[in-house]
Amino acid sequence: MSDATRELRAGLWTAAGAFVLWGLMPLYWHLLKAVPSLQIVAHRIVWSTLLVVAWLLWKRGRGWLRATLMQPRLAWMLALSALLISGNWALYIWAVNAGHVIETSLGYFINPLLNVVIGVLFLRERLSMPQWVSVAMAAAGVLWLTFHYGSFPWIALGLALSFALYGLVRKLAAVESIPGLGVESLYLLLPGLALLLWGESHGQGGFFDGWGATLVALLVVGGALTALPLIGFAYAVRRVPLSVVGVMQYIAPTLQFLLGVFFFQEAFDRDRAIGFVFIWIALAVFAIDGWLRSRRRAVAPMV
């Protein structure tokens, strides 16, 4: 087996592991439902920051932060991306523990298509006809859910929009994935610590006394579960074609959807199913078009 094949196989397994972990995360946050959502987010920030910064110090030494922030405009761009990802985390954890797992999965199904729209609006990218069809069908699915299910899917759209804008900022910021995550984490560390201290002093925190050793351990491990899939994703995208990663990313919302229906037993009636079918067909068209375009690019030099 060649080195390139080993690298590709390692990247595929790592990507699959990251997406499966993201897909199963509702089970983990459900174990912490006794903890207020903002407290979970604060612990997630603090413990993931310690893990990521420790990793960077080990791999790159003490100069990693200065080397990263020396690049122009990077400081404020990573501050903005930190705000977006923390808002995404807060909405996601609240939604899972409030019984909206299916709607969170809808958000991450919509996200790739919203990325396409943002690419057109902000990066002057051009869409193929199948991509326009995908976007139109996804929009139809969202409108159906809005008018026939009885409520605007603000959780799904909030998750999709915050993560899509996060991706836009990180695309425009000239920084590697893990150092960028380290800087974002440091921006969030002080607010996270302040929120923890405020919760402990106002009776909303029980880390030192009240939640018990099991929940305390779960909160600490939650930091690792925040950072590890992000690190794994960064490892995988350097070894696996983006078209393949783009298709594999649907593993996560599919698992979330299945958990919402079969484990959490959330309502999934005919009206909601119709809206999801519109979005699933849109994703199928989008994925097939992306795969065909990547095949044509691969074959073109050989003609």
Side-chain angles (χ1 to χ4, degrees):
M1 185 185 299
S2 67
D3 289 343
T5 302
R6 290 193 188 92
E7 288 283 297
L8 176 61
R9 180 170 294 182
L12 287 170
W13 280 108
T14 304
F19 290 126
V20 168
L21 190 56
W22 272 325
L24 296 178
M25 284 300 285
L27 293 174
Y28 194 86
W29 303 127
H30 183 68
L31 295 174
L32 291 164
K33 62 182 180 180
V35 181
S37 296
L38 283 178
Q39 290 289 303
I40 297 175
V41 174
H43 280 284
R44 190 177 185 182
I45 289 169
V46 169
W47 302 113
S48 63
T49 300
L50 293 177
L51 177 65
V52 172
V53 171
W55 190 92
L56 286 166
L57 288 172
W58 173 52
K59 297 293 287 187
R60 304 195 176 203
R62 290 179 296 178
W64 74 269
L65 181 60
R66 183 175 61 183
T68 302
L69 292 179
M70 282 178 62
Q71 301 177 59
R73 301 188 305 164
L74 202 55
W76 71 263
M77 293 182 76
L78 290 176
L80 177 58
S81 63
L83 183 65
L84 288 167
I85 197 61
S86 61
N88 180 273
W89 289 349
L91 179 57
Y92 175 74
I93 291 172
W94 173 85
V96 167
N97 287 339
H100 301 288
V101 174
I102 291 177
E103 192 168 342
T104 66
S105 74
L106 175 62
Y108 292 111
F109 278 124
I110 294 172
N111 176 249
L113 298 172
L114 193 55
N115 286 336
V116 172
V117 175
I118 286 177
V120 171
L121 294 177
F122 295 99
L123 303 178
R124 298 182 180 179
E125 296 178 356
R126 300 183 67 181
L127 299 187
S128 65
M129 183 55 68
Q131 288 174 326
W132 277 117
V133 171
S134 296
V135 171
M137 292 195 69
V142 172
L143 289 173
W144 176 274
L145 290 170
T146 300
F147 293 107
H148 290 268
Y149 185 65
S151 62
F152 186 75
W154 67 271
I155 295 173
L157 292 179
L159 289 171
L161 183 61
S162 60
F163 201 73
L165 290 175
Y166 172 77
L168 174 66
V169 174
R170 289 302 303 269
K171 181 177 179 64
L172 296 175
V175 61
E176 294 180 39
S177 297
I178 301 176
L181 176 61
V183 174
E184 290 169 346
S185 300
L186 288 174
Y187 275 127
L188 296 172
L189 181 59
L190 287 180
L193 286 171
L195 185 57
L196 289 182
L197 292 174
W198 183 89
E200 294 292 338
S201 63
H202 286 75
Q204 296 185 18
F207 188 75
F208 297 105
D209 181 27
W211 290 336
T214 300
L215 287 184
V216 167
L218 288 173
L219 286 167
V220 175
V221 174
L225 292 178
T226 296
L228 289 178
L230 289 170
I231 294 172
F233 179 77
Y235 174 88
V237 294
R238 296 176 65 88
R239 293 161 176 81
V240 179
L242 284 177
S243 59
V244 176
V245 175
V247 175
M248 292 180 71
Q249 72 177 318
Y250 299 123
I251 293 173
T254 299
L255 289 174
Q256 291 173 15
F257 170 77
L258 293 173
L259 285 174
V261 173
F262 296 108
F263 182 83
F264 295 104
Q265 297 184 339
E266 295 181 10
F268 191 70
D269 57 17
R270 182 182 63 88
D271 285 338
R272 180 174 279 194
I274 290 173
F276 267 77
V277 166
F278 271 104
I279 292 165
W280 287 331
I281 294 174
L283 291 174
V285 172
F286 179 78
I288 292 170
D289 177 67
W291 179 75
L292 291 174
R293 289 160 72 89
S294 67
R295 291 272 295 179
R296 286 195 293 268
R297 285 194 295 268
V299 172
M302 301 173 60
V303 176

